[in-house]
Amino acid sequence: MNPTRAEIDLKKLEHNFNSIRSYLKKEKPGKKIKICGVVKANAYGHGIQEISSKLIELGADFLGVANYDEAIKLRSVVPDANILVFGTLIHSKLKPAAYVKKLLKYNLIATVASLDTAKFLDYYSGKLGRKFKVHIKIDTGLKRIGFDVKQAYKNVEQIFGYRNLEIEGIYTHFATSESPDKTFAKHQLNKFYDLLHSLKKGGMNFPIVHSANSGAILNLKDSYFDMVRPGLILYGYYPSENFKNIIDLKPIMNLKSRVTFIKRVDANTSISYGRKYFTDKKSFIGSIPIGYGDGYWRALSNIGKVVIGNRYYPISGNITMDWLMVNLGAKRKVSVGDDVLLMGSQNGEYLGADRLARILKTIPYEMLCAVADRVQRVYFS
Ligand SMILES: Cc1ncc(COP(=O)(O)O)c(C=O)c1O
Protein backbone atom coordinates (compact mmCIF):
# COMPACT_ATOMS: atom_id res chain seq x y z
CA MET A 1 0.00 0.00 0.00
CA ASN A 2 1.23 3.52 -0.74
CA PRO A 3 2.72 4.78 2.53
CA THR A 4 1.57 8.36 1.94
CA ARG A 5 -1.42 9.12 4.14
CA ALA A 6 -3.16 11.82 6.15
CA GLU A 7 -3.52 10.63 9.74
CA ILE A 8 -6.51 12.28 11.35
CA ASP A 9 -6.90 12.19 15.09
CA LEU A 10 -10.57 12.38 16.06
CA LYS A 11 -9.62 12.76 19.76
CA LYS A 12 -8.00 16.05 18.83
CA LEU A 13 -11.15 17.05 16.96
CA GLU A 14 -13.03 16.35 20.18
CA HIS A 15 -10.52 18.45 22.09
CA ASN A 16 -10.98 21.39 19.69
CA PHE A 17 -14.77 21.08 19.72
CA ASN A 18 -14.83 21.06 23.51
CA SER A 19 -12.43 24.01 23.67
CA ILE A 20 -14.81 25.98 21.44
CA ARG A 21 -17.83 24.97 23.49
CA SER A 22 -16.15 25.93 26.79
CA TYR A 23 -15.04 29.24 25.32
CA LEU A 24 -18.58 30.07 24.19
CA LYS A 25 -19.86 29.23 27.68
CA LYS A 26 -17.23 31.43 29.27
CA GLU A 27 -17.94 34.37 26.95
CA LYS A 28 -21.74 34.07 27.10
CA PRO A 29 -22.58 32.40 30.40
CA GLY A 30 -26.09 31.07 30.66
CA LYS A 31 -26.77 31.17 26.92
CA LYS A 32 -26.92 27.95 24.89
CA ILE A 33 -25.26 28.83 21.62
CA LYS A 34 -25.66 26.29 18.86
CA ILE A 35 -22.65 25.09 16.88
CA CYS A 36 -22.71 24.61 13.12
CA GLY A 37 -19.60 22.58 12.27
CA VAL A 38 -18.34 23.71 8.89
CA VAL A 39 -17.48 20.64 6.84
CA LYS A 40 -17.42 22.02 3.32
CA ALA A 41 -14.62 21.13 0.90
CA ASN A 42 -14.40 17.60 2.26
CA ALA A 43 -14.17 18.99 5.81
CA TYR A 44 -11.21 21.19 4.84
CA GLY A 45 -9.52 18.12 3.38
CA HIS A 46 -10.09 15.92 6.44
CA GLY A 47 -12.91 13.75 5.06
CA ILE A 48 -16.47 15.04 5.26
CA GLN A 49 -18.10 11.77 6.30
CA GLU A 50 -15.87 10.82 9.23
CA ILE A 51 -15.57 14.39 10.51
CA SER A 52 -19.31 14.99 10.26
CA SER A 53 -20.21 11.77 12.10
CA LYS A 54 -17.83 12.70 14.88
CA LEU A 55 -19.15 16.27 15.11
CA ILE A 56 -22.71 15.02 15.40
CA GLU A 57 -21.63 12.52 18.06
CA LEU A 58 -19.99 15.43 19.93
CA GLY A 59 -23.22 17.39 19.85
CA ALA A 60 -22.89 19.74 16.87
CA ASP A 61 -26.32 21.19 16.13
CA PHE A 62 -25.79 21.84 12.42
CA LEU A 63 -23.33 20.98 9.68
CA GLY A 64 -22.46 23.58 7.05
CA VAL A 65 -21.55 22.62 3.48
CA ALA A 66 -20.77 24.66 0.39
CA ASN A 67 -23.22 23.16 -2.10
CA TYR A 68 -25.99 20.66 -2.72
CA ASP A 69 -23.70 17.92 -4.02
CA GLU A 70 -21.76 17.92 -0.77
CA ALA A 71 -25.00 17.93 1.20
CA ILE A 72 -26.52 14.99 -0.68
CA LYS A 73 -23.33 12.94 -0.24
CA LEU A 74 -23.36 13.69 3.45
CA ARG A 75 -26.99 12.81 4.13
CA SER A 76 -26.58 9.03 4.25
CA VAL A 77 -23.91 9.38 6.96
CA VAL A 78 -25.86 11.68 9.25
CA PRO A 79 -29.51 10.86 8.57
CA ASP A 80 -30.95 13.23 11.16
CA ALA A 81 -28.50 16.14 11.16
CA ASN A 82 -29.45 19.68 10.21
CA ILE A 83 -27.48 20.31 7.02
CA LEU A 84 -27.26 23.94 5.97
CA VAL A 85 -26.09 24.59 2.41
CA PHE A 86 -24.20 27.90 2.27
CA GLY A 87 -24.12 28.08 -1.53
CA THR A 88 -26.70 29.28 -3.97
CA LEU A 89 -29.13 27.03 -5.71
CA ILE A 90 -28.12 26.47 -9.29
CA HIS A 91 -30.87 24.81 -11.20
CA SER A 92 -29.76 21.35 -12.14
CA LYS A 93 -30.40 19.43 -15.33
CA LEU A 94 -33.29 17.73 -13.57
CA LYS A 95 -36.66 19.31 -14.22
CA PRO A 96 -37.21 21.96 -11.50
CA ALA A 97 -40.01 20.09 -9.76
CA ALA A 98 -37.96 16.88 -9.69
CA TYR A 99 -34.97 18.79 -8.40
CA VAL A 100 -36.83 20.43 -5.56
CA LYS A 101 -38.42 17.08 -4.74
CA LYS A 102 -34.96 15.56 -4.49
CA LEU A 103 -33.69 18.33 -2.21
CA LEU A 104 -36.77 17.97 -0.01
CA LYS A 105 -36.20 14.23 0.14
CA TYR A 106 -32.69 14.85 1.44
CA ASN A 107 -34.14 17.24 3.98
CA LEU A 108 -31.65 20.03 3.33
CA ILE A 109 -31.73 23.60 4.55
CA ALA A 110 -31.23 26.11 1.77
CA THR A 111 -29.54 29.48 1.82
CA VAL A 112 -31.72 32.05 0.16
CA ALA A 113 -29.47 34.76 -1.24
CA SER A 114 -31.73 36.08 -4.00
CA LEU A 115 -35.42 36.51 -4.67
CA ASP A 116 -35.08 34.16 -7.61
CA THR A 117 -34.12 31.30 -5.32
CA ALA A 118 -36.86 32.17 -2.87
CA LYS A 119 -39.49 32.23 -5.63
CA PHE A 120 -38.21 29.02 -7.18
CA LEU A 121 -38.23 27.07 -3.90
CA ASP A 122 -41.56 28.51 -2.86
CA TYR A 123 -43.25 27.72 -6.16
CA TYR A 124 -42.09 24.12 -6.50
CA SER A 125 -42.38 23.32 -2.79
CA GLY A 126 -45.98 24.55 -3.03
CA LYS A 127 -46.64 22.21 -5.93
CA LEU A 128 -45.24 19.34 -3.89
CA GLY A 129 -47.20 20.36 -0.80
CA ARG A 130 -44.12 20.64 1.43
CA LYS A 131 -42.34 23.55 3.08
CA PHE A 132 -38.68 24.19 2.31
CA LYS A 133 -36.59 25.24 5.29
CA VAL A 134 -34.39 28.26 4.52
CA HIS A 135 -31.88 30.66 6.05
CA ILE A 136 -31.72 34.12 4.48
CA LYS A 137 -28.22 35.39 3.66
CA ILE A 138 -27.45 39.07 4.14
CA ASP A 139 -24.43 40.71 2.55
CA THR A 140 -23.10 43.20 5.07
CA GLY A 141 -19.76 43.74 3.34
CA LEU A 142 -18.11 40.59 2.02
CA LYS A 143 -19.72 41.17 -1.38
CA ARG A 144 -19.90 37.48 -2.20
CA ILE A 145 -23.55 36.38 -2.06
CA GLY A 146 -26.59 37.61 -0.19
CA PHE A 147 -29.12 40.43 -0.11
CA ASP A 148 -27.41 43.77 0.12
CA VAL A 149 -28.05 44.91 3.66
CA LYS A 150 -29.21 48.32 2.37
CA GLN A 151 -32.22 46.87 0.57
CA ALA A 152 -32.59 43.71 2.59
CA TYR A 153 -35.59 44.83 4.62
CA LYS A 154 -37.82 44.95 1.53
CA ASN A 155 -36.47 41.64 0.22
CA VAL A 156 -36.92 39.83 3.51
CA GLU A 157 -40.43 41.22 3.83
CA GLN A 158 -41.24 39.82 0.42
CA ILE A 159 -39.84 36.40 1.37
CA PHE A 160 -42.02 36.41 4.47
CA GLY A 161 -44.93 36.60 2.05
CA TYR A 162 -44.06 33.26 0.51
CA ARG A 163 -46.26 30.57 1.99
CA ASN A 164 -44.18 27.49 1.22
CA LEU A 165 -40.94 28.46 2.88
CA GLU A 166 -40.14 27.83 6.50
CA ILE A 167 -37.86 30.72 7.42
CA GLU A 168 -35.66 29.26 10.13
CA GLY A 169 -32.65 31.53 10.04
CA ILE A 170 -30.89 34.65 8.89
CA TYR A 171 -27.15 35.13 8.64
CA THR A 172 -24.19 37.07 7.40
CA HIS A 173 -20.48 36.38 6.93
CA PHE A 174 -17.46 38.54 7.83
CA ALA A 175 -14.71 39.75 5.54
CA THR A 176 -12.02 40.44 8.16
CA SER A 177 -12.90 38.55 11.33
CA GLU A 178 -9.35 37.21 11.61
CA SER A 179 -7.89 40.71 11.77
CA PRO A 180 -6.99 42.20 15.15
CA ASP A 181 -8.29 45.47 13.69
CA LYS A 182 -12.01 45.01 14.29
CA THR A 183 -13.19 48.15 12.50
CA PHE A 184 -14.70 46.55 9.40
CA ALA A 185 -16.03 43.48 11.23
CA LYS A 186 -17.80 45.80 13.69
CA HIS A 187 -19.14 47.87 10.81
CA GLN A 188 -20.62 44.69 9.27
CA LEU A 189 -21.98 43.57 12.62
CA ASN A 190 -23.64 46.94 13.28
CA LYS A 191 -25.35 46.86 9.89
CA PHE A 192 -26.61 43.35 10.67
CA TYR A 193 -27.87 44.44 14.11
CA ASP A 194 -29.67 47.44 12.59
CA LEU A 195 -31.38 45.22 10.03
CA LEU A 196 -32.41 42.66 12.65
CA HIS A 197 -33.79 45.45 14.80
CA SER A 198 -35.94 46.86 11.98
CA LEU A 199 -37.10 43.40 10.97
CA LYS A 200 -38.12 42.72 14.54
CA LYS A 201 -40.05 45.98 14.65
CA GLY A 202 -41.77 44.88 11.46
CA GLY A 203 -42.79 41.61 13.13
CA MET A 204 -40.19 39.45 11.38
CA ASN A 205 -38.37 37.16 13.77
CA PHE A 206 -35.97 34.29 13.20
CA PRO A 207 -35.43 31.24 15.39
CA ILE A 208 -31.72 31.13 14.48
CA VAL A 209 -29.58 34.19 13.81
CA HIS A 210 -25.89 33.57 13.08
CA SER A 211 -22.75 35.23 11.82
CA ALA A 212 -19.56 34.08 13.57
CA ASN A 213 -16.89 32.04 11.81
CA SER A 214 -13.62 31.07 13.55
CA GLY A 215 -12.17 34.60 13.60
CA ALA A 216 -15.35 36.12 15.01
CA ILE A 217 -15.69 33.37 17.63
CA LEU A 218 -12.27 34.31 18.97
CA ASN A 219 -12.39 38.04 18.31
CA LEU A 220 -15.96 39.36 18.34
CA LYS A 221 -18.25 37.91 20.93
CA ASP A 222 -21.17 40.21 20.06
CA SER A 223 -21.44 38.24 16.84
CA TYR A 224 -22.52 34.95 18.43
CA PHE A 225 -26.32 35.39 18.36
CA ASP A 226 -27.97 31.91 18.44
CA MET A 227 -25.36 29.89 16.57
CA VAL A 228 -21.68 30.05 15.55
CA ARG A 229 -20.08 28.48 12.46
CA PRO A 230 -16.53 27.35 13.22
CA GLY A 231 -14.46 25.83 10.44
CA LEU A 232 -10.71 26.25 10.71
CA ILE A 233 -10.53 26.13 14.51
CA LEU A 234 -12.22 22.71 14.53
CA TYR A 235 -9.29 21.43 12.53
CA GLY A 236 -6.80 22.87 15.01
CA TYR A 237 -5.51 26.08 13.44
CA TYR A 238 -5.95 29.71 14.39
CA PRO A 239 -7.18 32.15 11.76
CA SER A 240 -4.52 34.55 13.03
CA GLU A 241 -1.32 34.25 15.05
CA ASN A 242 -2.77 36.87 17.39
CA PHE A 243 -5.40 34.53 18.78
CA LYS A 244 -3.07 31.78 19.93
CA ASN A 245 -3.62 32.24 23.66
CA ILE A 246 -7.40 32.51 23.49
CA ILE A 247 -8.19 28.81 23.29
CA ASP A 248 -6.13 25.67 23.08
CA LEU A 249 -6.31 23.94 19.69
CA LYS A 250 -4.53 20.93 18.29
CA PRO A 251 -4.02 20.33 14.56
CA ILE A 252 -5.88 17.14 13.82
CA MET A 253 -4.15 16.11 10.57
CA ASN A 254 -0.62 14.79 10.13
CA LEU A 255 0.40 14.38 6.51
CA LYS A 256 2.87 11.52 6.48
CA SER A 257 4.77 9.13 4.27
CA ARG A 258 7.81 6.85 4.49
CA VAL A 259 11.29 6.89 3.11
CA THR A 260 11.12 4.36 0.29
CA PHE A 261 14.48 4.64 -1.46
CA ILE A 262 17.94 5.75 -0.33
CA LYS A 263 21.04 6.27 -2.43
CA ARG A 264 24.48 7.70 -1.84
CA VAL A 265 25.65 10.35 -4.26
CA ASP A 266 28.88 12.25 -4.77
CA ALA A 267 29.45 15.89 -4.03
CA ASN A 268 28.16 18.18 -6.76
CA THR A 269 25.42 15.80 -7.91
CA SER A 270 22.22 17.39 -9.13
CA ILE A 271 18.95 16.18 -7.67
CA SER A 272 15.57 16.12 -9.47
CA TYR A 273 14.08 17.87 -12.50
CA GLY A 274 15.68 21.03 -13.71
CA ARG A 275 18.89 20.47 -11.68
CA LYS A 276 18.04 23.19 -9.14
CA TYR A 277 19.97 21.56 -6.31
CA PHE A 278 23.51 20.19 -6.09
CA THR A 279 24.97 18.28 -3.15
CA ASP A 280 27.88 20.02 -1.43
CA LYS A 281 29.46 16.76 -0.25
CA LYS A 282 28.96 13.02 -0.50
CA SER A 283 25.41 12.59 0.78
CA PHE A 284 22.63 10.12 1.34
CA ILE A 285 19.51 11.12 -0.56
CA GLY A 286 16.14 9.74 0.49
CA SER A 287 13.16 9.58 -1.86
CA ILE A 288 9.68 9.95 -0.43
CA PRO A 289 6.58 9.09 -2.47
CA ILE A 290 4.66 12.34 -2.13
CA GLY A 291 4.55 15.23 -4.56
CA TYR A 292 2.34 17.92 -5.97
CA GLY A 293 -0.01 15.20 -7.26
CA ASP A 294 -0.78 14.61 -3.59
CA GLY A 295 -1.30 18.29 -2.91
CA TYR A 296 2.15 18.84 -1.47
CA TRP A 297 3.22 22.19 -2.81
CA ARG A 298 5.95 22.31 -5.47
CA ALA A 299 6.77 25.83 -4.24
CA LEU A 300 8.33 24.16 -1.16
CA SER A 301 11.12 22.81 -3.40
CA ASN A 302 14.49 23.62 -1.86
CA ILE A 303 12.91 25.59 1.01
CA GLY A 304 10.67 23.10 2.83
CA LYS A 305 11.71 20.60 5.47
CA VAL A 306 10.41 17.24 6.61
CA VAL A 307 10.74 15.50 9.97
CA ILE A 308 12.20 11.99 10.18
CA GLY A 309 12.67 10.63 13.69
CA ASN A 310 13.18 13.82 15.63
CA ARG A 311 15.27 15.66 13.05
CA TYR A 312 14.47 18.05 10.26
CA TYR A 313 15.82 17.32 6.77
CA PRO A 314 15.75 19.71 3.80
CA ILE A 315 13.69 19.04 0.70
CA SER A 316 16.39 18.96 -1.96
CA GLY A 317 15.66 19.74 -5.57
CA ASN A 318 12.31 20.25 -7.25
CA ILE A 319 9.31 18.44 -5.83
CA THR A 320 7.89 16.22 -8.58
CA MET A 321 4.35 14.98 -9.10
CA ASP A 322 4.82 11.79 -7.09
CA TRP A 323 8.13 12.14 -5.25
CA LEU A 324 10.32 14.48 -3.35
CA MET A 325 13.91 14.01 -2.28
CA VAL A 326 15.60 14.99 0.96
CA ASN A 327 19.27 15.25 1.76
CA LEU A 328 19.85 12.90 4.70
CA GLY A 329 23.43 14.09 5.24
CA ALA A 330 26.80 12.42 5.03
CA LYS A 331 26.16 9.83 7.75
CA ARG A 332 23.37 7.36 7.32
CA LYS A 333 20.91 7.72 10.21
CA VAL A 334 17.69 7.06 8.30
CA SER A 335 16.49 3.75 6.88
CA VAL A 336 14.05 2.74 4.17
CA GLY A 337 10.65 2.46 5.83
CA ASP A 338 11.18 5.28 8.33
CA ASP A 339 8.18 7.49 8.91
CA VAL A 340 8.24 11.03 7.50
CA LEU A 341 6.14 13.96 8.70
CA LEU A 342 5.39 16.50 5.97
CA MET A 343 2.66 18.62 7.59
CA GLY A 344 1.32 18.63 11.14
CA SER A 345 3.05 18.06 14.45
CA GLN A 346 4.58 15.13 16.23
CA ASN A 347 6.59 14.67 19.44
CA GLY A 348 7.21 18.38 19.78
CA GLU A 349 8.32 18.86 16.17
CA TYR A 350 6.09 21.33 14.34
CA LEU A 351 5.38 21.56 10.62
CA GLY A 352 1.88 23.00 10.94
CA ALA A 353 -0.21 24.07 7.96
CA ASP A 354 0.04 27.62 9.30
CA ARG A 355 3.84 27.53 9.25
CA LEU A 356 3.97 26.14 5.72
CA ALA A 357 1.33 28.64 4.65
CA ARG A 358 3.48 31.51 5.90
CA ILE A 359 6.43 30.29 3.82
CA LEU A 360 4.18 30.03 0.76
CA LYS A 361 2.39 33.34 1.43
CA THR A 362 -0.98 31.66 1.64
CA ILE A 363 -3.36 30.58 4.41
CA PRO A 364 -3.65 27.30 6.35
CA TYR A 365 -7.10 26.75 4.82
CA GLU A 366 -5.51 26.32 1.40
CA MET A 367 -2.79 23.99 2.68
CA LEU A 368 -5.37 21.66 4.21
CA CYS A 369 -7.81 21.69 1.29
CA ALA A 370 -4.94 20.98 -1.11
CA VAL A 371 -4.33 17.46 0.22
CA ALA A 372 -5.40 15.41 -2.78
CA ASP A 373 -8.06 12.71 -2.91
CA ARG A 374 -5.48 10.07 -3.70
CA VAL A 375 -3.93 10.51 -0.25
CA GLN A 376 -5.51 7.92 1.97
CA ARG A 377 -7.14 9.33 5.12
CA VAL A 378 -6.53 7.19 8.20
CA TYR A 379 -8.58 7.91 11.31
CA PHE A 380 -7.63 7.45 14.96
CA SER A 381 -10.15 7.67 17.75
C1 LIG B 1 -20.64 30.90 5.34
C2 LIG B 1 -19.45 30.39 6.07
N1 LIG B 1 -19.53 30.26 7.41
C3 LIG B 1 -18.48 29.81 8.14
C4 LIG B 1 -17.29 29.47 7.54
C5 LIG B 1 -16.15 28.97 8.39
O1 LIG B 1 -15.08 29.85 8.34
P1 LIG B 1 -13.78 29.58 9.25
O2 LIG B 1 -13.11 28.39 8.68
O3 LIG B 1 -12.97 30.82 9.10
O4 LIG B 1 -14.27 29.35 10.63
C6 LIG B 1 -17.17 29.60 6.15
C7 LIG B 1 -15.90 29.29 5.49
O5 LIG B 1 -15.35 30.06 4.75
C8 LIG B 1 -18.28 30.07 5.40
O6 LIG B 1 -18.23 30.20 4.07
Side-chain angles (χ1 to χ4, degrees):
M1 205 211 291
N2 189 333
T4 298
R5 73 270 182 204
E7 292 185 351
I8 291 151
D9 189 336
L10 297 174
K11 277 261 165 348
K12 290 184 180 161
L13 176 65
E14 182 168 352
H15 168 87
N16 297 337
F17 186 86
N18 288 336
S19 290
I20 296 166
R21 195 147 53 185
S22 313
Y23 185 68
L24 295 173
K25 271 205 189 117
K26 185 173 106 209
E27 294 298 296
K28 295 273 174 190
K31 178 153 192 210
K32 161 86 178 86
I33 295 164
K34 292 184 195 307
I35 297 181
C36 171
V38 178
V39 294
K40 60 191 181 143
N42 199 24
Y44 293 38
H46 295 74
I48 188 168
Q49 302 201 335
E50 293 77 2
I51 296 293
S52 299
S53 304
K54 184 69 188 180
L55 287 173
I56 293 299
E57 181 194 315
L58 293 171
D61 304 276
F62 275 69
L63 296 170
V65 296
N67 58 51
Y68 289 87
D69 293 345
E70 289 182 344
I72 287 169
K73 246 203 229 150
L74 182 56
R75 178 49 85 206
S76 61
V77 187
V78 284
D80 302 319
N82 295 308
I83 302 179
L84 172 61
V85 183
F86 295 147
T88 52
L89 189 84
I90 297 166
H91 302 192
S92 85
K93 290 194 188 98
L94 289 178
K95 295 239 174 349
Y99 187 47
V100 173
K101 192 170 177 184
K102 181 169 169 185
L103 300 182
L104 280 167
K105 181 178 128 207
Y106 282 91
N107 201 12
L108 306 176
I109 307 167
T111 287
V112 163
S114 72
L115 284 176
D116 267 0
T117 306
K119 265 185 224 157
F120 176 84
L121 288 178
D122 178 63
Y123 179 74
Y124 289 104
S125 304
K127 286 195 145 203
L128 295 163
R130 294 256 319 260
K131 284 202 170 195
F132 211 115
K133 207 183 262 187
V134 301
H135 287 213
I136 299 174
K137 179 77 184 282
I138 306 299
D139 182 1
T140 52
L142 182 62
K143 298 288 171 237
R144 192 163 69 177
I145 61 169
F147 293 99
D148 188 322
V149 70
K150 284 195 219 98
Q151 292 104 48
Y153 185 93
K154 269 198 336 253
N155 302 138
V156 174
E157 197 173 36
Q158 201 166 335
I159 296 170
F160 264 80
Y162 295 143
R163 296 278 132 231
N164 307 303
L165 300 181
E166 178 186 341
I167 303 168
E168 181 188 52
I170 187 164
Y171 73 107
T172 192
H173 192 44
F174 293 106
T176 57
S177 64
E178 75 293 348
S179 167
D181 177 355
K182 301 188 194 187
T183 316
F184 193 70
K186 280 190 172 165
H187 164 81
Q188 284 190 261
L189 188 57
N190 288 338
K191 296 248 167 223
F192 192 48
Y193 265 111
D194 288 348
L195 174 67
L196 291 171
H197 184 67
S198 335
L199 289 169
K200 192 171 181 180
K201 272 197 355 211
M204 287 169 273
N205 294 299
F206 302 85
I208 307 177
V209 178
H210 49 113
S211 71
N213 61 348
S214 293
I217 291 170
L218 302 181
N219 197 27
L220 202 63
K221 71 174 176 183
D222 289 342
S223 68
Y224 294 175
F225 299 101
D226 305 299
M227 179 162 87
V228 295
R229 304 188 307 265
L232 190 69
I233 54 178
L234 285 174
Y235 306 106
Y237 290 100
Y238 299 86
S240 154
E241 285 284 288
N242 301 297
F243 305 153
K244 283 211 159 148
N245 346 331
I246 298 182
I247 57 173
D248 184 53
L249 300 174
K250 298 183 195 302
I252 74 170
M253 180 201 287
N254 276 346
L255 182 61
K256 294 174 90 174
S257 189
R258 289 186 192 281
V259 179
T260 61
F261 196 90
I262 298 181
K263 64 217 147 273
R264 191 165 192 223
V265 301
D266 288 332
N268 205 31
T269 301
S270 70
I271 308 292
S272 194
Y273 290 131
R275 309 191 75 203
K276 300 292 183 202
Y277 176 89
F278 286 80
T279 49
D280 59 353
K281 53 180 179 285
K282 272 194 176 196
S283 309
F284 287 99
I285 301 293
S287 302
I288 300 160
I290 182 168
Y292 59 80
D294 301 288
Y296 193 78
W297 294 62
R298 186 173 177 278
L300 288 168
S301 300
N302 284 325
I303 51 173
K305 288 191 170 67
V306 304
V307 173
I308 307 173
N310 54 2
R311 294 181 57 156
Y312 291 86
Y313 293 93
I315 296 172
S316 303
N318 274 335
I319 293 170
T320 75
M321 189 183 290
D322 312 309
W323 295 91
L324 58 81
M325 275 65 84
V326 292
N327 191 329
L328 301 172
K331 288 209 184 102
R332 184 165 175 161
K333 298 199 181 87
V334 170
S335 309
V336 166
D338 283 0
D339 232 19
V340 182
L341 176 72
L342 295 119
M343 181 165 76
S345 66
Q346 176 180 283
N347 306 327
E349 313 302 337
Y350 192 75
L351 280 178
D354 50 348
R355 185 167 296 174
L356 301 184
R358 223 171 306 125
I359 298 173
L360 294 171
K361 299 198 169 37
T362 182
I363 50 176
Y365 299 75
E366 194 178 11
M367 305 302 301
L368 297 171
C369 290
V371 177
D373 284 351
R374 82 171 181 188
V375 175
Q376 198 195 350
R377 270 71 173 169
V378 183
Y379 296 89
F380 296 93
S381 51

